[in-house]
Amino acid sequence: MNKNRGVTSLEIVISLALIVLFLTLIFPILRLTLKMERSFIIRERVERNSARLIEMLEREIVDSSFGNEIYEGKENLIDGKGVYQLVGIRPTILDKKFFSNMKERGNALFLEIPYVKKEKIYSRYYFYRFNGNMFMISQCSNQGGRIFFESEDIVFENIDGYFEQDKDGIKIVINIKKNINYIKELKGYALKGRKM
């Protein structure tokens, strides 16, 4: 009997078949694991960024108040802020009619934020809005006593929420849509802000 017997081609074929079978079983599991990991990382990033968004909105609400600039509908706002329910396409101009339609709860928030430049007080105007599954920020300008939209940026997708105004401040509620069955809700609350 020969003790230095080599590997037969049949043994090699069986070994290769077992390896191929093992790989065909393990690759779908690895692909699913990587897909789930990517999905988890994206969800965690959205939650973290949504928490930052709430903090930013709270700061903006606290910093908002009336500046020296005059514009149509300013008398309807409370300390330079207002909550609105906006359905459909946003208007190009925020006029007296728009500002007079303030709500206690809505999907849009208007803020006037004063700032000082060369010892003179100016204002920035922002319009925050939940629209469908998106959160959008619009920068506005005061042109001849009317507020016009300049730019609009989508900040988040797969997100919904609302603003709610009461006598003490504005509540911000953000719903992160993780999947069809699960929604995570984040809340923030900002006092009305300072008066100038």
Side-chain angles (χ1 to χ4, degrees):
M1 201 180 212
N2 188 358
K3 289 187 179 182
N4 292 330
R5 186 174 86 99
V7 179
T8 65
S9 57
L10 181 63
E11 290 173 324
I12 291 174
V13 169
I14 291 172
S15 298
L16 288 173
L18 288 173
I19 290 171
V20 168
L21 179 66
F22 176 72
L23 290 176
T24 56
L25 292 174
I26 199 74
F27 272 137
I29 295 170
L30 286 173
R31 193 178 311 125
L32 181 64
T33 304
L34 288 173
K35 186 177 179 182
M36 288 175 60
E37 181 184 14
R38 252 185 261 123
S39 173
F40 178 76
I41 289 170
I42 288 169
R43 275 188 262 135
E44 289 301 312
R45 197 174 294 151
V46 167
E47 282 184 38
R48 187 172 47 248
N49 290 339
S50 298
R52 288 182 186 148
L53 174 64
I54 286 179
E55 290 173 12
M56 185 265 308
L57 284 170
E58 287 174 342
R59 275 195 315 273
E60 297 286 310
I61 291 168
V62 169
D63 289 344
S64 66
S65 65
F66 288 125
N68 292 337
E69 297 179 25
I70 304 298
Y71 52 91
E72 287 183 16
K74 182 174 183 173
E75 65 277 2
N76 296 309
L77 297 172
I78 302 170
D79 296 329
K81 57 191 83 46
V83 173
Y84 301 91
Q85 182 62 38
L86 189 62
V87 180
I89 301 170
R90 70 161 172 75
T92 54
I93 302 171
L94 299 178
D95 56 9
K96 192 172 203 155
K97 182 180 176 187
F98 176 84
F99 284 121
S100 66
N101 200 14
M102 198 166 21
K103 307 284 184 196
E104 289 181 14
R105 179 176 170 165
N107 65 343
L109 174 69
F110 175 83
L111 296 178
E112 176 182 351
I113 302 173
Y115 67 98
V116 177
K117 183 177 179 183
K118 295 182 182 178
E119 298 180 14
K120 189 173 179 186
I121 298 175
Y122 297 94
S123 290
R124 290 187 180 98
Y125 307 95
Y126 295 101
F127 194 76
Y128 305 94
R129 176 168 67 127
F130 292 100
N131 184 25
N133 287 331
M134 298 178 288
F135 181 73
M136 307 166 105
I137 298 178
S138 301
Q139 191 165 358
C140 306
S141 64
N142 185 348
Q143 298 174 17
R146 298 174 88 183
I147 302 296
F148 288 85
F149 283 92
E150 286 185 354
S151 64
E152 185 169 60
D153 296 311
I154 297 171
V155 180
F156 284 107
E157 292 182 5
N158 296 323
I159 191 170
D160 193 13
Y162 61 89
F163 303 98
E164 191 170 348
Q165 186 167 352
D166 61 23
K167 62 182 175 58
D168 296 320
I170 296 176
K171 180 168 64 170
I172 308 150
V173 178
I174 295 178
N175 298 316
I176 302 166
K177 298 179 179 183
K178 292 187 170 187
N179 57 42
I180 296 169
N181 300 322
Y182 181 63
I183 295 175
K184 177 160 185 170
E185 187 174 79
L186 298 173
K187 292 184 180 181
Y189 190 82
L191 297 178
K192 283 188 175 180
R194 58 176 186 253
K195 293 184 180 180
M196 292 193 79

